[in-house]
Amino acid sequence: MNEKKSDVVAQEDVEHLCQLVDMKDGGPSCIHMMDRSTPTMTYQAWRRDPKIGPPQYRCRTVYEDVTPELVRDFFWDDEFRLKWDDMLSEATTLDECPTTGTMVVQWIKKFPFFCKDREYIIGRRIWESGRLYYCVTKGVPYPSIPRHDKLRRVDNYYSSWCIQAAESRYDNGQLRACEVQLFHQEDMGIPWEITKLAKQRALGGIISRPAFIAQINTKISLEYLKASAGTEVSSQTAVVTASDDKPFGGNIRNLIIVGGSILLACTLDRGYLVKTIISGVANKFGNAGKKSKPK
């Protein structure tokens, strides 16, 4: 990837994500949608409706006994995603920068027979400050990949995470959990009122090449980022970034997949098909999650 292409996800993108995390981006107020909790995970979801564009979704999930680095690699690992995400039929890396870790990937997602499958051209990059990770993914132009009549390209796509260590509910405030804040918005060509209804109803390790690239992060000072984005460093964040990397246990793969199936519900627009994915993944690994309940 040349220098020009490596800038498809740039400094202003991480500044925008920082503003979303601190709720200082100037957008409309959020509508609370869900609060759920299991022995190994807590989950909250909100929606807001901008004047222009599709609904925006914000989710906060805290996984017990998981490190931020493992969650970061999990969400970046397209090869593994193909095994658990039933909607994703193809995932191809089009370009990557070994210096910044910037990637451009192509996703093809399956839709019902009466709809065209969706195509995504996604630029993504990770910024690191201590053990806090800002992971930006968004739709980007890529002229060398022409549009296909049998696919509908989703141009308006944004899905980004803020990942950091968090206090455990079970270990007297020790930073043995992981907090993930997801911000998602996309225009899939479906009426937005139907989209909101579908999401409301839906809400009721071998290291692969993408996972390896996820470990190439752009180093950034948290103070500098907050100053650039016009926000302040919270005391919670300051504590998190100063924490050390402690060992962890539990059935990590199963825990994240169960939680990931809920996160996935906020990124899909297919009603009953969403429910099928959630129930199929969660039921398959749910027992493993129960077994890992701390005593």
Side-chain angles (χ1 to χ4, degrees), residues 204-223:
I206 295 175
I207 299 298
S208 67
R209 179 65 180 175
F212 173 76
I213 291 294
Q215 299 172 35
I216 304 175
N217 309 148
T218 301
K219 306 292 183 180
I220 191 168
S221 162
L222 185 62
E223 289 76 12

PDB file of all heavy atoms in Angstrom, residues 204-223:
ATOM      1  N   GLY A 204     -34.351  -8.172  21.320  1.00  0.00           N
ATOM      2  CA  GLY A 204     -35.153  -8.826  22.411  1.00  0.00           C
ATOM      3  C   GLY A 204     -34.416 -10.144  22.734  1.00  0.00           C
ATOM      4  O   GLY A 204     -35.036 -11.022  22.816  1.00  0.00           O
ATOM      5  N   GLY A 205      -7.759 -20.149  18.549  1.00  0.00           N
ATOM      6  CA  GLY A 205      -6.945 -19.478  17.945  1.00  0.00           C
ATOM      7  C   GLY A 205      -5.685 -19.505  17.197  1.00  0.00           C
ATOM      8  O   GLY A 205      -4.696 -19.189  17.753  1.00  0.00           O
ATOM      9  N   ILE A 206      -5.796 -19.786  15.893  1.00  0.00           N
ATOM     10  CA  ILE A 206      -4.624 -19.593  15.025  1.00  0.00           C
ATOM     11  C   ILE A 206      -4.606 -18.137  14.605  1.00  0.00           C
ATOM     12  O   ILE A 206      -5.612 -17.579  14.229  1.00  0.00           O
ATOM     13  CB  ILE A 206      -4.676 -20.518  13.787  1.00  0.00           C
ATOM     14  CG1 ILE A 206      -4.574 -21.974  14.225  1.00  0.00           C
ATOM     15  CG2 ILE A 206      -3.586 -20.187  12.792  1.00  0.00           C
ATOM     16  CD1 ILE A 206      -4.738 -22.970  13.104  1.00  0.00           C
ATOM     17  N   ILE A 207      -3.410 -17.484  14.636  1.00  0.00           N
ATOM     18  CA  ILE A 207      -3.319 -16.088  14.247  1.00  0.00           C
ATOM     19  C   ILE A 207      -3.282 -15.984  12.729  1.00  0.00           C
ATOM     20  O   ILE A 207      -2.353 -16.427  12.074  1.00  0.00           O
ATOM     21  CB  ILE A 207      -2.063 -15.429  14.847  1.00  0.00           C
ATOM     22  CG1 ILE A 207      -2.128 -15.489  16.368  1.00  0.00           C
ATOM     23  CG2 ILE A 207      -1.930 -13.990  14.372  1.00  0.00           C
ATOM     24  CD1 ILE A 207      -3.296 -14.734  16.958  1.00  0.00           C
ATOM     25  N   SER A 208      -4.320 -15.416  12.141  1.00  0.00           N
ATOM     26  CA  SER A 208      -4.376 -15.251  10.687  1.00  0.00           C
ATOM     27  C   SER A 208      -3.686 -13.957  10.302  1.00  0.00           C
ATOM     28  O   SER A 208      -3.279 -13.165  11.152  1.00  0.00           O
ATOM     29  CB  SER A 208      -5.833 -15.206  10.231  1.00  0.00           C
ATOM     30  OG  SER A 208      -6.449 -14.041  10.701  1.00  0.00           O
ATOM     31  N   ARG A 209      -3.582 -13.688   8.994  1.00  0.00           N
ATOM     32  CA  ARG A 209      -2.942 -12.461   8.530  1.00  0.00           C
ATOM     33  C   ARG A 209      -3.669 -11.214   9.040  1.00  0.00           C
ATOM     34  O   ARG A 209      -3.029 -10.300   9.558  1.00  0.00           O
ATOM     35  CB  ARG A 209      -2.874 -12.460   7.002  1.00  0.00           C
ATOM     36  CG  ARG A 209      -2.245 -11.197   6.401  1.00  0.00           C
ATOM     37  CD  ARG A 209      -0.789 -11.064   6.770  1.00  0.00           C
ATOM     38  NE  ARG A 209      -0.200  -9.868   6.192  1.00  0.00           N
ATOM     39  CZ  ARG A 209       1.029  -9.452   6.432  1.00  0.00           C
ATOM     40  NH1 ARG A 209       1.811 -10.158   7.240  1.00  0.00           N
ATOM     41  NH2 ARG A 209       1.494  -8.349   5.867  1.00  0.00           N
ATOM     42  N   PRO A 210      -5.035 -11.122   8.921  1.00  0.00           N
ATOM     43  CA  PRO A 210      -5.706  -9.924   9.453  1.00  0.00           C
ATOM     44  C   PRO A 210      -5.480  -9.738  10.940  1.00  0.00           C
ATOM     45  O   PRO A 210      -5.329  -8.613  11.425  1.00  0.00           O
ATOM     46  CB  PRO A 210      -7.179 -10.163   9.115  1.00  0.00           C
ATOM     47  CG  PRO A 210      -7.153 -11.081   7.952  1.00  0.00           C
ATOM     48  CD  PRO A 210      -5.973 -11.990   8.204  1.00  0.00           C
ATOM     49  N   ALA A 211      -5.485 -10.826  11.703  1.00  0.00           N
ATOM     50  CA  ALA A 211      -5.248 -10.708  13.140  1.00  0.00           C
ATOM     51  C   ALA A 211      -3.828 -10.239  13.409  1.00  0.00           C
ATOM     52  O   ALA A 211      -3.563  -9.492  14.355  1.00  0.00           O
ATOM     53  CB  ALA A 211      -5.505 -12.041  13.834  1.00  0.00           C
ATOM     54  N   PHE A 212      -2.880 -10.676  12.585  1.00  0.00           N
ATOM     55  CA  PHE A 212      -1.504 -10.205  12.717  1.00  0.00           C
ATOM     56  C   PHE A 212      -1.415  -8.712  12.431  1.00  0.00           C
ATOM     57  O   PHE A 212      -0.761  -7.961  13.156  1.00  0.00           O
ATOM     58  CB  PHE A 212      -0.593 -10.978  11.762  1.00  0.00           C
ATOM     59  CG  PHE A 212       0.810 -10.447  11.704  1.00  0.00           C
ATOM     60  CD1 PHE A 212       1.711 -10.701  12.730  1.00  0.00           C
ATOM     61  CD2 PHE A 212       1.226  -9.682  10.630  1.00  0.00           C
ATOM     62  CE1 PHE A 212       3.002 -10.204  12.686  1.00  0.00           C
ATOM     63  CE2 PHE A 212       2.512  -9.179  10.575  1.00  0.00           C
ATOM     64  CZ  PHE A 212       3.409  -9.442  11.605  1.00  0.00           C
ATOM     65  N   ILE A 213      -2.099  -8.264  11.364  1.00  0.00           N
ATOM     66  CA  ILE A 213      -2.094  -6.842  11.020  1.00  0.00           C
ATOM     67  C   ILE A 213      -2.722  -6.020  12.141  1.00  0.00           C
ATOM     68  O   ILE A 213      -2.341  -4.875  12.391  1.00  0.00           O
ATOM     69  CB  ILE A 213      -2.835  -6.603   9.690  1.00  0.00           C
ATOM     70  CG1 ILE A 213      -2.025  -7.203   8.529  1.00  0.00           C
ATOM     71  CG2 ILE A 213      -3.061  -5.117   9.443  1.00  0.00           C
ATOM     72  CD1 ILE A 213      -0.699  -6.517   8.281  1.00  0.00           C
ATOM     73  N   ALA A 214      -3.701  -6.611  12.854  1.00  0.00           N
ATOM     74  CA  ALA A 214      -4.351  -5.893  13.954  1.00  0.00           C
ATOM     75  C   ALA A 214      -3.361  -5.520  15.045  1.00  0.00           C
ATOM     76  O   ALA A 214      -3.612  -4.610  15.835  1.00  0.00           O
ATOM     77  CB  ALA A 214      -5.478  -6.741  14.549  1.00  0.00           C
ATOM     78  N   GLN A 215      -2.219  -6.218  15.096  1.00  0.00           N
ATOM     79  CA  GLN A 215      -1.219  -5.918  16.105  1.00  0.00           C
ATOM     80  C   GLN A 215      -0.279  -4.798  15.673  1.00  0.00           C
ATOM     81  O   GLN A 215       0.580  -4.383  16.446  1.00  0.00           O
ATOM     82  CB  GLN A 215      -0.429  -7.192  16.415  1.00  0.00           C
ATOM     83  CG  GLN A 215      -1.318  -8.317  16.956  1.00  0.00           C
ATOM     84  CD  GLN A 215      -0.592  -9.633  17.090  1.00  0.00           C
ATOM     85  OE1 GLN A 215       0.587  -9.675  17.409  1.00  0.00           O
ATOM     86  NE2 GLN A 215      -1.289 -10.724  16.841  1.00  0.00           N
ATOM     87  N   ILE A 216      -0.434  -4.325  14.421  1.00  0.00           N
ATOM     88  CA  ILE A 216       0.335  -3.172  13.949  1.00  0.00           C
ATOM     89  C   ILE A 216      -0.542  -1.944  14.138  1.00  0.00           C
ATOM     90  O   ILE A 216      -1.475  -1.708  13.374  1.00  0.00           O
ATOM     91  CB  ILE A 216       0.739  -3.331  12.470  1.00  0.00           C
ATOM     92  CG1 ILE A 216       1.524  -4.627  12.262  1.00  0.00           C
ATOM     93  CG2 ILE A 216       1.554  -2.124  12.009  1.00  0.00           C
ATOM     94  CD1 ILE A 216       1.846  -4.903  10.806  1.00  0.00           C
ATOM     95  N   ASN A 217      -0.280  -1.201  15.190  1.00  0.00           N
ATOM     96  CA  ASN A 217      -1.136  -0.080  15.564  1.00  0.00           C
ATOM     97  C   ASN A 217      -0.384   1.235  15.431  1.00  0.00           C
ATOM     98  O   ASN A 217       0.828   1.290  15.579  1.00  0.00           O
ATOM     99  CB  ASN A 217      -1.635  -0.225  17.012  1.00  0.00           C
ATOM    100  CG  ASN A 217      -2.251  -1.578  17.294  1.00  0.00           C
ATOM    101  OD1 ASN A 217      -2.158  -2.073  18.405  1.00  0.00           O
ATOM    102  ND2 ASN A 217      -2.853  -2.217  16.290  1.00  0.00           N
ATOM    103  N   THR A 218      -1.122   2.292  15.163  1.00  0.00           N
ATOM    104  CA  THR A 218      -0.543   3.626  15.151  1.00  0.00           C
ATOM    105  C   THR A 218      -0.489   4.143  16.582  1.00  0.00           C
ATOM    106  O   THR A 218      -1.526   4.318  17.227  1.00  0.00           O
ATOM    107  CB  THR A 218      -1.386   4.581  14.282  1.00  0.00           C
ATOM    108  OG1 THR A 218      -1.456   4.059  12.950  1.00  0.00           O
ATOM    109  CG2 THR A 218      -0.774   5.973  14.256  1.00  0.00           C
ATOM    110  N   LYS A 219       0.720   4.352  17.104  1.00  0.00           N
ATOM    111  CA  LYS A 219       0.876   4.846  18.473  1.00  0.00           C
ATOM    112  C   LYS A 219       0.418   6.302  18.548  1.00  0.00           C
ATOM    113  O   LYS A 219       0.708   7.102  17.653  1.00  0.00           O
ATOM    114  CB  LYS A 219       2.333   4.761  18.911  1.00  0.00           C
ATOM    115  CG  LYS A 219       2.962   3.379  18.752  1.00  0.00           C
ATOM    116  CD  LYS A 219       2.362   2.373  19.715  1.00  0.00           C
ATOM    117  CE  LYS A 219       3.074   1.034  19.580  1.00  0.00           C
ATOM    118  NZ  LYS A 219       2.521   0.006  20.501  1.00  0.00           N
ATOM    119  N   ILE A 220      -0.308   6.617  19.606  1.00  0.00           N
ATOM    120  CA  ILE A 220      -0.800   7.977  19.760  1.00  0.00           C
ATOM    121  C   ILE A 220      -0.907   8.315  21.240  1.00  0.00           C
ATOM    122  O   ILE A 220      -1.247   7.447  22.062  1.00  0.00           O
ATOM    123  CB  ILE A 220      -2.163   8.158  19.058  1.00  0.00           C
ATOM    124  CG1 ILE A 220      -2.546   9.632  18.985  1.00  0.00           C
ATOM    125  CG2 ILE A 220      -3.252   7.347  19.740  1.00  0.00           C
ATOM    126  CD1 ILE A 220      -3.717   9.911  18.063  1.00  0.00           C
ATOM    127  N   SER A 221      -0.588   9.534  21.588  1.00  0.00           N
ATOM    128  CA  SER A 221      -0.734   9.998  22.963  1.00  0.00           C
ATOM    129  C   SER A 221      -2.199  10.284  23.235  1.00  0.00           C
ATOM    130  O   SER A 221      -2.854  10.997  22.472  1.00  0.00           O
ATOM    131  CB  SER A 221       0.099  11.265  23.187  1.00  0.00           C
ATOM    132  OG  SER A 221      -0.332  11.949  24.346  1.00  0.00           O
ATOM    133  N   LEU A 222      -2.726   9.730  24.332  1.00  0.00           N
ATOM    134  CA  LEU A 222      -4.123   9.959  24.668  1.00  0.00           C
ATOM    135  C   LEU A 222      -4.392  11.435  24.916  1.00  0.00           C
ATOM    136  O   LEU A 222      -5.416  11.969  24.496  1.00  0.00           O
ATOM    137  CB  LEU A 222      -4.513   9.131  25.892  1.00  0.00           C
ATOM    138  CG  LEU A 222      -5.993   9.175  26.285  1.00  0.00           C
ATOM    139  CD1 LEU A 222      -6.855   8.623  25.168  1.00  0.00           C
ATOM    140  CD2 LEU A 222      -6.228   8.404  27.575  1.00  0.00           C
ATOM    141  N   GLU A 223      -3.461  12.112  25.572  1.00  0.00           N
ATOM    142  CA  GLU A 223      -3.635  13.538  25.838  1.00  0.00           C
ATOM    143  C   GLU A 223      -3.690  14.329  24.528  1.00  0.00           C
ATOM    144  O   GLU A 223      -4.504  15.234  24.361  1.00  0.00           O
ATOM    145  CB  GLU A 223      -2.495  14.058  26.718  1.00  0.00           C
ATOM    146  CG  GLU A 223      -2.550  13.563  28.164  1.00  0.00           C
ATOM    147  CD  GLU A 223      -2.099  12.121  28.312  1.00  0.00           C
ATOM    148  OE1 GLU A 223      -1.524  11.570  27.347  1.00  0.00           O
ATOM    149  OE2 GLU A 223      -2.316  11.545  29.392  1.00  0.00           O
TER     150      GLU A 223
END
